[in-house]
């Protein structure tokens, strides 16, 4: 089993910055993709950004140029640096990973979520 523990959420004014962290632990053989999703009240969960094991990244159009995703493979940790935050970035942010505990298929795991609130 793989556990994901997130940290770094909170309340910030519009234009401010926050950095989210997510550390994976447990029986880990390898990790493929790590990423962040978010879900605002009344909306579907959406991809914010993802990063592969070799560093290829993908971002939602709404955050390109403002958010940066990175990872430390040695620490099984993914980060999301969020700059120029807007009220519409307010949501619960979930860490996501595809990992396995032995050679073979990858399975999806989710963190418990961390609240990010941006005040206007």
């Amino acid at each position: 089993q793989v556990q994901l523990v997130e940290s770094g959420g909170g309340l910030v004014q519009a234009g401010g910055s926050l950095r989210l962290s997510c550390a994976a632990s447990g029986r880990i053989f390898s990790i493929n993709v790590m990423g962040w999703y978010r879900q605002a009240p009344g909306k579907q969960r959406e991809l914010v950004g993802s990063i592969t094991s070799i560093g290829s990244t993908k971002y939602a159009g709404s955050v390109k140029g403002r958010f940066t995703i990175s990872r430390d493979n040695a620490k099984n940790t993914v980060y999301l640096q969020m700059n120029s935050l807007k009220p519409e970035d307010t949501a619960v942010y979930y860490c996501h990973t595809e990992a396995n505990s032995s050679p073979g298929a990858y399975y999806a795991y989710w963190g418990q979520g961390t609240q990010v609130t941006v005040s206007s």
Side-chain angles (χ1 to χ4, degrees), residues 49-111:
S50 64
I51 183 168
T52 69
S53 57
I54 59 171
S56 297
T57 58
K58 183 189 300 183
Y59 294 96
S62 59
V63 308
K64 273 184 182 177
R66 300 188 297 123
F67 292 9
T68 303
I69 192 168
S70 60
R71 69 190 270 178
D72 184 333
N73 290 330
K75 296 181 179 180
N76 291 331
T77 299
V78 63
Y79 306 96
L80 184 68
Q81 178 66 43
M82 304 185 291
N83 298 329
S84 302
L85 282 160
K86 304 176 181 179
E88 51 263 44
D89 294 317
T90 295
V92 178
Y93 284 69
Y94 296 92
C95 179
H96 172 267
T97 189
E98 295 175 357
N100 57 21
S101 299
S102 61
Y106 289 97
Y107 295 90
Y109 297 91
W110 292 92

